[in-house]
Amino acid sequence: MAVSLSKGGNVSLSKEAPGLSTINVGLGWDARVTDGSAFDLDASAFLLNEVGKVRSDTDFIFYNNKKSSDGSVVHQGDNQTGSGDGDDEAISVNLDKVPAGVQKVAFSVTIHDADVRKQNFGQVANAYIRVVNNADGKEIARYDLSEDFSIETAMIFGELYRHGGEWKFKAIGQGFAGGLGPLAKNYGVNV
Amino acid sequence: MGAVVLMPGANTDIPKCRQVAVVVGWDPKFSPGMEIDASSFLVGADGKVPSDAYFVFYGEQSSPDGSVRFLSSPSTGVDFDVQAFDVDLDKVPAQVEAIDVCVTIHEGQVRRQSFANLKGVFARLVDSVSGREIARFDLHVDGMKETAITLAKVYRRSGQWKFRAVGQGFAGGLAPLARRYGVDVANEIPSPPVSESKVRLEKRLVDLEKKAPHLVSLAKKASASVDKFHLSGTVCRVGLVLDASGSMLRQYQQGRVQEVVDRIFPLAVHFDDDGSLDVWAFAEKSRELTPLTSDSVKSYVDREWGGWQKWMRVLNSDINYEPAVIRAVIDRYRGTFTTQAVQPVYVVFISDGGVGSDKEIEKLLIKASQLPIFWQFVGIGGSNYGILRRFDTMQGRFLDNCNFFSLDDLHSVTDQELYDRLLAEYPEWLKEAAAKGIIRG
């Protein structure tokens, strides 16, 4: 049963679905049916240390760097139009494999070339981001981007974080101006 | 509280009101050679209209449930407001999730126009009762190659009505836009884009396919004749007069009269404002029957007003007295003519000959020649047409408003030929009537 996620709320993944080991962050949207540039949404993940920064640039998982060095976080591929049913992009996280030095994994969604294409989430039909338990495919949390983030072009979805031997997920739901570059820089990536 | 100003993609809640209007406008309001129209689509969860009746625009001004109405001149008093859609939120049927409001440039591609030619286009959401503006969206049109766009949408979400600014569309115009909403628009040629009157016709043909599929091939043949005589896009009221006197008995019994009705109806589909056919039956007396539509065309002759046997009985089939019905037809349409707009009327008059009262009829038709009514007399299965033939050539008329041809048997000509004969004289009359000022507006 999906938990309705309001900004700032947090969900204990271990409590929600005990025995959780692999989760999928899924990003979906409808391909554009009107004329104009395609809607290209990108999911990204950042493996962060105790001060909220990446340990190295390889901790920035995105369409050009699909696997973390330890194999714990894997980006399933870049979908540039949103065509296809279900999640159009996904990042899977094997919680057991996440190394000790990583305290958090942050997830973001951005619109590629949003400024040039003059696009925002509100113009994209049925855009969402969600977290799913890989073992049973059950959705744990979801945000409706088209509806609730309509004038944004990028947003920080949430963070997986360690807390007393458990993994928790904190929904952040914060818009971010400027796109993937500035977002990555924010986490200490050398862009 | 002031109105919310939205940028494309943004949405806002609609506060508790029962009736709102989506008002659209553009700047400049008038551009020479540019025709802009607003339209709306009521769509279900799949983003498509449940049927073509949910495409509300100047050609179909209300949704079937009356929840959305097109207002060609909104009385907001605001200068730039051009057209509007009144929405009664409580009446919107459960299956409709959103009402998309669109603007299109008629023949934009052909005329090499697009929204970039304007300074701006806007949509305002207004509380219909208080007139207060709830939200506003100004679309920046620089560089917009589109000629048809979805400007805004009124939609439901978790029980709350909302308004969203959209501003996306197609360079190809109304046809791809309507198709995206699930309206069945047949596309014979890739360009130029389909004109609104053609879209309306396509909608009616789809309707016909659903309600009276046996008439679809007839409708196609009618289309061929309409095109041949360059009548497509013209509008006129279409009427049909049926002789219900005793001599017609065999024709009714053998289903010939229903066949005639089946063949005339497609002309109404093409030409009539409402797509319906006005029908009269007469013998000694005359009676106007319920207008025939695609819903009632099947077995109309057997079902309308108790069926043809009743027509014959009540109208007294022993006698045929044409002047009564001719007067009735004239009176009926005379009421529709105003000083500004006079739409032509095309009347098909079915008789099997044996017409009496010819002097009286002649006088009526001569007088009627000053009216925009064209009488197409068709003799079927009869004899002694002499008098009917004379209607074609009689002197003293303001202009030639009659034509006659006979068919011993409906089956003696092909349907295509029948349509050709029905329409052959009409264009000439139209021209002359317009030239003489009988038709205007």
Side-chain angles (χ1 to χ4, degrees):
Chain A
M1 193 186 81
V3 172
S4 157
L5 207 57
S6 49
K7 291 184 194 181
N10 64 60
V11 173
S12 164
L13 289 178
S14 312
K15 285 203 179 92
E16 272 302 308
L20 205 60
S21 67
T22 319
I23 60 114
N24 236 18
V25 170
L27 171 63
W29 72 98
D30 287 356
R32 185 168 195 164
V33 294
T34 48
D35 287 354
S37 316
F39 297 121
D40 181 3
L41 275 61
D42 294 313
S44 310
F46 302 86
L47 281 73
L48 307 170
N49 59 20
E50 69 282 356
V51 295
K53 303 282 180 207
V54 296
R55 297 167 303 164
S56 72
D57 286 355
T58 57
D59 277 348
F60 169 31
I61 307 304
F62 71 118
Y63 52 82
N64 275 347
N65 178 32
K66 295 200 183 76
K67 222 167 168 178
S68 66
S69 44
D70 41 61
S72 59
V73 180
V74 180
H75 189 296
Q76 308 295 329
D78 186 18
N79 184 323
Q80 298 179 331
T81 61
S83 65
D85 294 330
D87 295 341
D88 295 305
E89 282 192 14
I91 299 177
S92 62
V93 183
N94 185 332
L95 295 164
D96 298 333
K97 280 192 182 169
V98 176
V102 173
Q103 285 291 88
K104 288 198 233 193
V105 184
F107 299 93
S108 69
V109 50
T110 53
I111 299 178
H112 182 64
D113 266 357
D115 289 335
V116 168
R117 298 181 186 186
K118 298 205 188 119
Q119 298 172 348
N120 56 31
F121 289 123
Q123 297 174 324
V124 185
N126 296 315
Y128 66 84
I129 187 159
R130 64 188 190 141
V131 166
V132 169
N133 175 0
N134 251 15
D136 59 9
K138 261 197 185 149
E139 193 174 286
I140 297 165
R142 170 194 279 255
Y143 273 128
D144 183 331
L145 298 169
S146 302
E147 188 63 23
D148 301 321
F149 291 87
S150 49
I151 57 172
E152 308 285 0
T153 60
M155 62 88 85
I156 298 169
F157 173 32
E159 296 171 341
L160 275 169
Y161 64 102
R162 293 184 201 271
H163 186 86
E166 282 186 332
W167 276 101
K168 290 191 158 201
F169 182 83
K170 178 173 166 187
I172 297 176
Q174 185 185 298
F176 193 94
L180 189 54
L183 191 69
K185 246 172 140 168
N186 191 47
Y187 287 117
V189 178
N190 294 310
V191 173
Chain B
M1 200 188 99
V4 175
V5 177
L6 300 172
M7 55 184 274
N11 63 68
T12 186
D13 286 354
I14 297 179
K16 264 266 180 266
C17 27
R18 175 156 162 198
Q19 226 162 336
V20 293
V22 179
V23 183
V24 299
W26 39 88
D27 180 15
K29 205 164 164 179
F30 301 108
S31 302
M34 207 172 186
E35 292 169 58
I36 303 175
D37 297 296
S39 54
S40 71
F41 298 85
L42 284 72
V43 300
D46 61 352
K48 310 233 186 266
V49 292
S51 82
D52 293 348
Y54 290 86
F55 168 26
V56 176
F57 66 120
Y58 69 82
E60 180 105 51
Q61 298 196 5
S62 169
S63 58
D65 38 62
S67 56
V68 178
R69 287 179 309 119
F70 171 74
L71 304 171
S72 58
S73 38
S75 48
T76 55
V78 176
D79 198 42
F80 278 109
D81 292 350
V82 184
Q83 293 173 5
F85 292 88
D86 217 43
V87 183
D88 185 330
L89 294 171
D90 289 347
K91 278 196 188 153
V92 177
Q95 56 178 177
V96 171
E97 290 292 316
I99 298 147
D100 279 20
V101 175
C102 307
V103 280
T104 55
I105 301 174
H106 182 59
E107 289 183 351
Q109 262 193 330
V110 172
R111 301 182 192 184
R112 293 184 206 275
Q113 298 161 344
S114 72
F115 282 102
N117 294 136
L118 299 171
K119 285 190 217 144
V121 179
F122 67 83
R124 311 195 300 123
L125 182 74
V126 170
D127 177 334
S128 297
V129 173
S130 66
R132 185 180 73 88
E133 184 174 285
I134 299 167
R136 168 178 195 103
F137 166 45
D138 286 291
L139 177 66
H140 295 295
V141 294
D142 316 321
M144 276 198 92
K145 298 199 207 76
E146 287 87 339
T147 59
I149 52 180
T150 298
L151 194 52
K153 83 197 289 149
V154 170
Y155 64 107
R156 286 188 232 259
R157 192 155 170 92
S158 314
Q160 166 75 41
W161 280 105
K162 307 194 77 173
F163 180 69
R164 175 191 289 268
V166 182
Q168 294 181 40
F170 296 90
L174 181 59
L177 184 78
R179 240 181 261 121
R180 166 239 187 284
Y181 285 112
V183 173
D184 198 347
V185 179
N187 199 21
E188 295 100 35
I189 29 173
S191 67
V194 178
S195 71
E196 268 82 15
S197 68
K198 222 159 181 207
V199 172
R200 183 181 82 166
L201 177 62
E202 296 294 349
K203 286 176 69 179
R204 288 185 181 171
L205 291 175
V206 169
D207 188 51
L208 196 66
E209 206 156 356
K210 290 184 193 143
K211 296 181 182 157
H214 60 295
L215 298 186
V216 170
S217 81
L218 273 178
K220 294 202 176 119
K221 297 193 180 111
S223 288
S225 296
V226 169
D227 288 340
K228 184 179 187 159
F229 291 106
H230 306 291
L231 289 168
S232 61
T234 62
V235 180
C236 66
R237 305 189 98 95
V238 183
L240 174 64
V241 177
L242 296 174
D243 184 343
S245 62
S247 56
M248 290 282 293
L249 181 68
R250 281 262 297 280
Q251 303 293 334
Y252 280 99
Q253 280 172 336
Q254 289 171 348
R256 295 278 177 269
V257 180
Q258 179 64 49
E259 281 179 1
V260 168
V261 165
D262 286 347
R263 277 152 185 75
I264 304 303
F265 179 57
L267 291 179
V269 167
H270 273 86
F271 298 137
D272 191 281
D273 237 345
D274 301 319
S276 66
L277 179 65
D278 296 329
V279 186
W280 284 262
F282 81 97
E284 182 192 6
K285 295 183 264 207
S286 131
R287 181 179 171 98
E288 187 179 353
L289 302 173
T290 322
L292 188 159
T293 64
S294 54
D295 288 310
S296 58
V297 60
K298 208 162 172 192
S299 327
Y300 181 86
V301 166
D302 288 325
R303 297 198 290 179
E304 169 59 21
W305 192 47
W308 60 269
Q309 293 100 326
K310 178 172 168 183
W311 308 355
M312 287 191 153
R313 201 176 58 243
V314 177
L315 300 175
N316 188 14
S317 57
D318 287 342
I319 299 173
N320 50 316
Y321 183 60
E322 285 76 10
V325 72
I326 293 176
R327 271 196 205 101
V329 171
I330 291 174
D331 286 340
R332 163 73 167 80
Y333 290 121
R334 196 189 259 129
T336 66
F337 306 146
T338 69
T339 46
Q340 278 84 37
V342 181
Q343 216 179 65
V345 183
Y346 176 86
V347 177
V348 177
F349 196 115
I350 304 294
S351 164
D352 63 346
V355 170
S357 325
D358 15 313
K359 278 267 169 301
E360 213 182 331
I361 296 170
E362 221 180 86
K363 266 168 84 175
L364 277 173
L365 289 174
I366 290 173
K367 227 170 132 200
S369 63
Q370 304 202 33
L371 298 171
I373 303 177
F374 180 77
W375 303 83
Q376 176 61 65
F377 289 94
V378 181
I380 62 166
S383 52
N384 190 16
Y385 291 128
I387 292 154
L388 287 185
R389 279 189 207 281
R390 241 184 39 227
F391 291 155
D392 200 3
T393 55
M394 61 190 170
Q395 304 297 314
R397 290 177 291 172
F398 189 56
L399 71 135
D400 180 1
N401 58 345
C402 302
N403 182 248
F404 167 81
F405 66 84
S406 74
L407 298 172
D408 285 329
D409 192 314
L410 249 190
H411 301 282
S412 59
V413 291
T414 61
D415 293 326
Q416 196 63 71
E417 226 200 294
L418 174 65
Y419 285 120
D420 282 353
R421 288 206 205 179
L422 282 169
L423 296 178
E425 301 293 317
Y426 179 58
E428 193 53 48
W429 173 82
L430 267 182
K431 245 191 266 162
E432 238 204 297
K436 290 202 155 127
I438 292 180
I439 300 171
R440 45 183 182 278

